[in-house]
Amino acid sequence: MSAGALPEEGSAAALPARPLPLHGLRPHADGQARGLGPGLEPGEMQVERLVGVALADRLEELAALRLAVLGEFPYLYRGSAAYEERYLSDLGSLPGGLILAAFDRNRMVAAVTGAPLDQEIDALSDPFTHAGRDTGAIFYFGEVVVLPSHRGRGVGPALLEIGESHIRDDGRFASAAFGEIVRSTDHPRRPKTYRTPDAAWRRLGYRLEPDIGGALSWCDSCDREETAKPLRFWVKSFLPGTGA
């Protein structure tokens, strides 16, 4: 499964009202931890890109984090540790795969995944191809997951900014994208406090693409069979003069 979203405060991976700046923090060398910046407890919160041995050592912890958060609304995802570990191992072996994790005193509290869109599954790349977009020039962010104890502190946006810096430095990508799960407003498991993340994503420079839509299927935690979940896609351009 790969469908990024940052639900509002109190839901799966909340954004603060005003995302905290990173004060020039750049992507680090593989395996080397770096602080998240003055607004996020420097010296305590660290970010690491997980590849190779570093990913293998943290695979079980990362899978557990994802299962815990993705089990919440709007994902309601019922997965298994074995599947998650296989998925993450495969992602980590992709030439352009990206896994970033945030740690608080060596405890993983958040993570973001991503890959070039032309290396993603057809359900994610085909909608862009049909819209005439060059999937080779788009980086696709998957899930952003943050533990409840660390929401509202700018961790999710900080991870995305670090990921975007990695993308810009790569030089191949003109934009970044993600897919947002669309759930009905009267969904029986929708928390009363849940709000759509539109305003938060716009603050981060992403724009909704109304002409691009898709769907992913998985089994909700309360169901016995897979059902299709509609997706709508958001894109952030890295080209000069686009306002991103």
Side-chain angles (χ1 to χ4, degrees), residues 168 173-175 237-244:
R168 292 175 189 269
F173 304 104
S175 60
S237 176
F238 299 144
L239 299 178
T242 60

Side-chain angles (χ1 to χ4, degrees), residues 38-104:
L40 292 169
E41 303 176 13
E44 296 180 359
M45 297 287 293
Q46 306 289 326
V47 171
E48 184 176 347
R49 184 181 180 193
L50 300 181
V51 294
V53 174
L55 176 59
D57 288 345
R58 294 285 192 174
L59 198 58
E60 184 177 347
E61 185 179 9
L62 178 58
L65 169 66
R66 285 169 51 85
L67 286 172
V69 176
L70 297 180
E72 302 176 24
F73 190 89
Y75 299 98
L76 302 178
Y77 172 64
R78 183 176 67 189
S80 68
Y83 175 85
E84 283 295 306
E85 290 180 15
R86 288 195 303 271
Y87 164 74
L88 293 165
S89 294
D90 290 344
L91 177 61
S93 66
L94 287 178
L98 180 67
I99 301 174
L100 295 174
F103 298 88
D104 188 350

